[in-house]
Amino acid sequence: MPAFNDYEHVYKPLPLGRTTLRNRIIFSPMVCDYADSIGQPTQGYIDFIEEQARTGVALVNVGATPVNWDTAPDYPAELDVTQDNKINGLVLLADAAHRHGAKISIELVHAGRGVHPELIKSKWALASSNFPIPGQYPYIKEMDQHDIEETIACYVDCAKRLKRAQFDGVLVHAAHGNLLGQFLSPLTNRRSDCYGGSLENRSRFPLMILKAVREAVGDDFFLDMRISGDEMVEGGMKIDEVVEFIKMAQEYIDMVNISAGLIVDWRAQFFTMPPYYQPHCLNVSLSRVVKECPDVTIPVTVVGCIANIDEAEEIIGSGAADACYMARALLADSEMLKKSYRGEPESVRPCLRCYSCADGGGNHISCAVNPQLGRGHRYWEIRPALKRKKVVVIGGGPAGMMAAQIAVRRGHDVVLFEQNESLGGTLNDINKLPFKYDLLNYTEWVVGQTLACGADIRLGVEATPEVVMRENPDAIIVAMGAEPIQASIPGIDRENVVPVRDVDSGRVKVSGEVVVCGGGSSGCETALALAMGGCKVTIVEKGANDSFAHGMTHITRGMLIALLESNKVTCLGEHVVLSVDDEGVHVGDSQWQEQVLKADFVVDALGLKPTPSEQYVELIPEVHVIGDCGRIGNIYRANQSAFDCAMEL
């Protein structure tokens, strides 16, 4: 092992069928919505695959790809691998990965009863049994023998086509409540024929697919499989049966990936796509059970909140898995593998696990902390500016720090003013919440990177116009953040009314019965933290009941709402705060019916407004207002606006 590499296991090659993976890190499949309207990869798709391969991973997995476009699609803008006239585009994807030494696979999926209601072309969705998902496509057909044989043929056809398109293997998706999982699970398979009942019968159809694909592609094309080690719902598939199925399946597959949960069930989707409320290395206990089974002889991999190479090294070194699937951490810092190999893990940009990377449809791959991601070759490198400028940055929060770093990297002479004695801005308050340790790690990292970036950083200095102009700047970047809205509510200035940031930071301790005024993401997360600490909490929000935590990514918001419910937080929608007095918080509904909520403490989370910046905008011709100072947003918007500004200086 080279002297500079402290990792005994991660960078060790892994035999896989008749090929070899160059290390033990695999890019987990992500749905990126980069295909065009007929399922061809756009240039953005090709660039994204190349971005993944450039990280140094051993294997790139293209995200969920349907084997049948009439009954199987589950996301918009998926690739079409069902027709020969799409092979040319698929070859471009394979070439993009191979150019950087990575193998490439594709996640073949049939959504079954989870088919996207707007994408299905067939009259019926196919499933093991007729159990529609609430709110999803309601017309379910229990598959007959003809459907089963036709679906097997679809998997075979797609796998053979991908082999011709120079892919190295396929990943059969049998996890998360997709069609194969629907047959395997006693929760969703209620058949009484040879495909239902016992585990042997429930396994029959998935094994038929695996056997047929193996026979069609031969031994020189690897076959991987993803499965939920635990479906995380009552009556669902559990690890003991999963192990038994893997023992049967390993006759046909070269590797198995252990995930968890059901994407089609809100109770379990937070294990399939775990937000930052979940612990790191979420599924390692499940993969360890599989790995330690003496009868399982194929490589076992694991996925789920593996945040860095140190965690991957511990997982592999402890014998819990042979390799690790990772995605978000590699999006946050595409150099993670290379930096860690060089002995520089402390320089790796931490992932927030916020799911900005998977929020929304249509070319949406992006990252809250890595503004270069998903934007093609134009932003792969930070190029020097044509003309060096003197740049003054006002504010040392997320936007100001990003702007300063990028401006310095482009060769500008940068002075950053921060009126507080430390960098970080709002991050220094909100990263104290008990479930925000990823944000705390990021804050420490980004502050350290900014202090070391080469900018002239002046802490404890208020950047008045006079102070700024003494620097004789060519450009000014105003990144002063936001300030609380001063609501005109009688009693809002009482001693027991506390600003939300003071609660988050711990500067003020609250207890007992607490009313949080404002149901945005900040108010909801503060309420959750207080409830976890033993307070009895009510959130009052003027919006509708479905507007709590509005604006968060859907999967993160979903888990937050579930956690509020499980921690017995009362969410009172369509109510406004009328006043605060000795009785408590007076609120009124849309009919102006009033009630009083008893409160030992009241948390003011009524929102933010941009800090006024008018005094700077006409000092010189080139002034840019970024982050919350320009428009209230989140860390993603702050970093994106700062990066874009600095790249155009």
Side-chain angles (χ1 to χ4, degrees):
M1 187 170 67
F4 50 79
N5 175 23
D6 295 329
Y7 302 94
E8 178 182 355
H9 303 285
V10 164
Y11 298 97
K12 184 178 180 180
L14 176 66
L16 177 61
R18 289 176 57 181
T19 189
T20 299
L21 301 183
R22 60 183 172 182
N23 58 53
R24 304 297 180 99
I25 302 299
I26 298 169
F27 216 114
S28 189
M30 292 195 70
V31 177
C32 67
D33 285 0
Y34 271 139
D36 65 17
S37 60
I38 59 171
Q40 290 271 34
T42 62
Q43 185 61 49
Y45 213 135
I46 298 167
D47 289 345
F48 180 55
I49 295 301
E50 186 168 358
E51 282 185 272
Q52 294 182 57
R54 289 172 78 236
T55 64
V57 296
L59 169 63
V60 170
N61 278 298
V62 178
T65 305
V67 296
N68 181 299
W69 274 85
D70 289 336
T71 60
D74 52 353
Y75 292 100
E78 290 177 303
L79 282 176
D80 184 356
V81 298
T82 67
Q83 302 180 63
D84 284 349
N85 63 3
K86 302 299 194 304
I87 287 179
N88 287 346
L90 296 170
V91 170
L92 294 176
L93 295 180
D95 180 65
H98 293 154
R99 190 179 306 134
H100 298 278
K103 306 294 184 185
I104 185 169
S105 176
I106 198 162
E107 185 180 48
L108 292 180
V109 65
H110 193 302
R113 71 189 189 115
V115 65
H116 195 295
E118 296 177 6
L119 299 178
I120 187 172
K121 298 177 182 178
S122 171
K123 178 181 179 181
W124 302 102
L126 301 179
S128 57
S129 302
N130 187 0
F131 286 98
I133 300 167
Q136 292 288 99
Y137 196 72
Y139 308 113
I140 309 296
K141 178 187 179 185
E142 181 176 297
M143 294 172 67
D144 58 27
Q145 188 64 30
H146 178 270
D147 298 321
I148 285 172
E149 292 175 2
E150 187 176 73
T151 302
I152 293 170
C154 288
Y155 275 90
V156 168
D157 178 60
C158 292
K160 290 168 62 178
R161 183 170 297 106
L162 288 163
K163 185 176 181 179
R164 300 206 320 268
Q166 302 175 26
F167 277 63
D168 302 288
V170 293
L171 170 64
V172 175
H173 200 344
H176 307 163
N178 289 303
L179 182 62
L180 273 66
Q182 292 163 28
F183 270 83
L184 286 169
S185 176
L187 178 69
T188 50
N189 185 341
R190 305 296 177 87
R191 302 171 71 104
S192 58
D193 61 3
C194 65
Y195 298 104
S198 67
L199 176 62
E200 180 182 6
N201 283 353
R202 285 183 276 122
S203 302
R204 192 180 307 277
F205 172 55
L207 290 175
M208 290 167 66
I209 287 176
L210 297 175
K211 180 177 186 292
V213 172
R214 169 56 72 207
E215 291 174 348
V217 298
D219 294 333
D220 58 344
F221 187 79
F222 69 78
L223 188 53
D224 193 2
M225 181 182 72
R226 170 172 279 191
I227 192 167
S228 292
D230 189 320
E231 290 186 323
M232 298 296 177
V233 291
E234 185 178 351
M237 192 85 160
K238 300 299 178 183
I239 189 62
D240 55 342
E241 286 197 328
V242 171
V243 171
E244 293 303 312
F245 174 69
I246 292 170
K247 287 159 61 175
M248 292 185 277
Q250 66 184 354
E251 178 181 353
Y252 312 113
I253 62 176
D254 299 297
M255 187 164 65
V256 62
N257 176 240
I258 306 302
S259 183
L262 297 171
I263 196 64
V264 295
D265 191 316
W266 70 269
R267 299 168 297 175
Q269 62 183 206
F270 316 127
F271 296 90
T272 297
M273 297 178 68
Y276 53 77
Y277 306 111
Q278 296 278 32
H280 286 198
C281 307
L282 186 63
N283 300 318
V284 170
S285 61
L286 297 171
S287 68
R288 186 182 299 278
V289 173
V290 180
K291 180 63 182 169
E292 292 181 349
C293 175
D295 295 326
V296 174
T297 58
I298 58 174
V300 177
T301 66
V302 65
V303 69
C305 293
I306 302 169
N308 51 60
I309 299 302
D310 289 294
E311 291 181 354
E313 177 72 11
E314 169 62 25
I315 291 167
I316 299 168
S318 70
D322 294 291
C324 293
Y325 270 56
M326 302 174 70
R328 287 179 288 176
L330 291 161
L331 301 180
D333 193 332
S334 63
E335 294 288 308
M336 180 180 68
L337 263 169
K338 299 173 184 177
K339 289 177 179 177
S340 299
Y341 185 74
R342 295 194 302 261
E344 305 166 3
E346 70 285 346
S347 68
V348 174
R349 181 191 294 115
C351 170
L352 300 181
R353 296 196 294 152
C354 63
Y355 272 119
S356 292
C357 51
D359 183 37
N363 293 14
H364 69 250
I365 285 294
S366 57
C367 178
V369 297
N370 179 11
Q372 293 173 263
L373 177 72
R375 307 178 80 176
H377 291 79
R378 180 180 181 186
Y379 290 120
W380 279 2
E381 306 294 338
I382 306 297
R383 302 186 182 277
L386 296 176
K387 178 183 178 182
R388 183 175 184 178
K389 297 180 180 180
K390 176 68 175 291
V391 180
V392 170
V393 179
I394 305 171
M401 290 188 289
M402 175 65 75
Q405 289 185 46
I406 300 303
V408 169
R409 289 176 63 181
R410 299 195 65 225
H412 297 302
D413 181 12
V414 179
V415 177
L416 185 152
F417 291 105
E418 169 54 52
Q419 65 180 357
N420 295 312
E421 295 297 333
S422 61
L423 296 173
T426 306
L427 299 182
N428 292 319
D429 293 335
I430 61 178
N431 65 21
K432 304 299 189 298
L433 293 171
F435 36 78
K436 288 293 185 76
Y437 45 88
D438 292 303
L439 182 59
L440 178 60
N441 290 339
Y442 174 74
T443 304
E444 294 172 349
W445 178 87
V446 72
V447 168
Q449 292 291 307
T450 306
L451 290 172
C453 75
D456 179 0
I457 297 174
R458 304 180 191 176
L459 301 176
V461 179
E462 183 180 358
T464 64
E466 294 75 22
V467 168
V468 170
M469 291 305 294
R470 280 201 291 269
E471 300 298 322
N472 193 27
D474 299 303
I476 299 171
I477 298 176
V478 187
M480 297 166 60
E483 58 187 39
I485 294 172
Q486 300 298 318
S488 56
I489 297 173
I492 200 69
D493 56 351
R494 291 171 60 90
E495 288 187 3
N496 69 330
V497 180
V498 186
V500 66
R501 285 178 56 179
D502 287 347
V503 177
D504 291 348
S505 64
R507 287 189 293 269
V508 177
K509 303 293 184 183
V510 302
S511 59
E513 295 191 53
V514 182
V515 173
V516 176
C517 302
S521 59
S522 177
C524 287
E525 290 200 323
T526 301
L528 174 59
L530 291 173
M532 292 168 64
C535 295
K536 181 180 179 181
V537 186
T538 299
I539 309 173
V540 180
E541 164 59 32
K542 66 179 180 181
N545 288 322
D546 61 358
S547 67
F548 285 87
H550 178 74
M552 299 182 79
T553 56
H554 73 283
I555 191 73
T556 306
R557 178 183 179 272
M559 187 167 186
L560 174 56
I561 297 301
L563 287 171
L564 290 172
E565 180 179 344
S566 65
N567 282 273
K568 296 181 171 51
V569 174
T570 300
C571 294
L572 195 61
E574 298 183 332
H575 281 72
V576 295
V577 178
L578 303 174
S579 63
V580 182
D581 58 23
D582 290 339
E583 291 184 89
V585 180
H586 295 252
V587 300
D589 63 16
S590 59
Q591 305 300 316
W592 291 104
Q593 295 180 325
E594 184 176 329
Q595 63 175 304
V596 180
L597 306 176
K598 183 182 177 182
D600 298 302
F601 287 91
V602 179
V603 177
D604 181 353
L606 292 169
L608 301 169
K609 62 181 180 179
T611 300
S613 58
E614 293 81 5
Q615 66 269 40
Y616 304 102
V617 295
E618 294 183 358
L619 290 178
I620 60 173
E622 187 174 358
V623 178
H624 306 273
V625 181
I626 63 173
D628 281 354
C629 195
R631 177 164 63 89
I632 300 298
N634 51 22
I635 296 174
Y636 169 82
R637 168 164 162 71
N639 281 330
Q640 288 279 339
S641 65
F643 178 86
D644 291 349
C645 171
M647 288 295 290
E648 299 300 326
L649 287 174

